Amino acid sequence: MKICRFSYENRSEYGIIEGGMIYPVNGLPYDKIEKDGRCIPLESVRLLAPCEPTKIVAIGKNYAAHAAEMKEGQPEEPLLFLKPNTCVVGHEDEVVYPSLSKRLDYEGELGVVIGKKCRNVTPEQVNDVIFGYTCLNDVTARDIQKGDMQWTRGKGFDTFCPIGPHIETELDASCLKIETRLNGETKQSSFTNMMTHDIAKQICYITQVMTLLPGDVIATGTPEGIGSMQIGDVVEVELEGIGVLRNHIVGD
């Protein structure tokens, strides 16, 4: 099932995408998905980021080949960092290249959307707390990240976490093809089974530390092939079985 969040007639709502139509649902989709009886053509709405996370928990250096290209070694346990929810934008939205940075990078990733409040999740409980999956771009001001000794500022600018275009709730995410394209040219191409720490390990590890809430997102790491973007570029992140997230780079 494809769950979206959309703007229509000056209202933001959640809905189900089926056959080029959106079927709005009552309230939030995490507890119970219930259509409200309306049907809206997809082309009549503007898609928004498909969830409203309180936080984005990201995993650094989670593909061995990416860790190798960064030449910084690979951590034995998941390397956690946070992106603020003010980073979030949706499909076809603009990503702002901040004047403070001289290098802005794409990082295509699989995003995991949490569906239940959870803490200290066991491996047996993982599937019960996952709502679905989406495409994500962990946009990074690389020069700031490297200069600060920690990653909050370099990865925390407004618009630095495009998510979308929707959430796929019925998917085996263990071996999905992931690609990132810059102006139509493929820059990253890998599979999610190349992660060092799989999704179950990530959720169990994160929830030892913090409570995850419905709508929170885990950014599961990026494969090799990261690179820079310029003002005027178009970047696309595509996940097999989910779709394509497209964003436009603009100046601030």
Side-chain angles (χ1 to χ4, degrees):
M1 185 182 299
K2 291 178 170 58
I3 301 296
C4 69
R5 182 169 155 264
F6 64 95
S7 176
Y8 181 69
E9 295 183 343
N10 297 317
R11 292 178 57 189
S12 297
E13 303 181 66
Y14 288 87
I16 303 167
I17 300 176
E18 293 179 354
M21 306 296 289
I22 292 180
Y23 297 85
V25 300
N26 292 315
L28 300 177
Y30 305 113
D31 293 327
K32 182 179 181 181
I33 299 176
E34 183 179 71
K35 295 179 181 179
D36 71 2
R38 291 176 294 152
C39 180
I40 304 169
L42 183 57
E43 65 267 18
S44 300
V45 312
R46 183 171 78 87
L47 290 178
L48 306 172
C51 56
E52 298 176 276
T54 67
K55 56 188 169 295
I56 301 97
V57 187
I59 312 295
K61 304 177 188 176
N62 197 33
Y63 287 74
H66 170 57
E69 74 179 349
M70 297 298 289
K71 300 179 181 178
E72 296 173 351
Q74 188 170 32
E76 292 184 3
E77 296 293 335
L79 175 61
L80 306 185
F81 62 94
L82 295 176
K83 293 171 79 83
N85 59 6
T86 47
C87 288
V88 173
V89 292
H91 177 61
E92 297 287 8
D93 283 345
E94 295 177 339
V95 171
V96 177
Y97 196 135
S99 57
L100 290 174
S101 177
K102 302 302 180 186
R103 176 171 169 172
L104 189 69
D105 281 10
Y106 54 80
E107 293 190 9
E109 308 195 9
L110 171 69
V112 179
V113 181
I114 298 299
K116 295 181 179 179
K117 182 178 179 180
C118 57
R119 180 81 156 86
N120 292 319
V121 175
T122 67
E124 295 75 24
Q125 296 169 329
V126 165
N127 288 336
D128 291 335
V129 305
I130 295 174
F131 180 69
Y133 304 92
T134 191
C135 307
L136 183 148
N137 189 350
D138 176 19
V139 178
T140 304
R142 190 69 65 196
D143 52 339
I144 293 175
Q145 179 198 20
K146 287 183 175 294
D148 277 3
M149 301 295 292
Q150 52 80 30
W151 298 0
T152 300
R153 193 164 67 109
K155 290 177 173 283
F157 284 86
D158 290 355
T159 76
F160 270 26
C161 193
I163 303 173
H166 51 258
I167 301 166
E168 177 56 63
T169 64
E170 300 171 359
L171 186 68
D172 178 356
S174 61
C175 187
L176 303 178
K177 187 173 183 179
I178 177 171
E179 285 193 350
T180 305
R181 295 184 291 273
L182 186 67
N183 300 322
E185 181 180 353
T186 300
K187 297 293 187 178
Q188 293 182 289
S189 183
S190 188
F191 292 87
T192 56
N193 67 340
M194 300 301 291
M195 293 181 192
T196 301
H197 307 292
D198 64 18
I199 293 167
K201 171 70 178 289
Q202 294 175 45
I203 291 175
C204 294
Y205 191 84
I206 292 166
T207 59
Q208 291 175 352
V209 179
M210 67 189 77
T211 298
L212 295 176
L213 300 174
D216 282 353
V217 176
I218 300 172
T220 58
T222 196
E224 73 277 12
I226 63 165
S228 60
M229 304 179 288
Q230 305 299 326
I231 294 172
D233 284 348
V234 176
V235 62
E236 297 174 310
V237 177
E238 181 171 6
L239 267 296
E240 178 186 359
I242 300 175
V244 178
L245 168 67
R246 182 183 305 107
N247 296 97
H248 310 263
I249 313 304
V250 302
D252 65 2

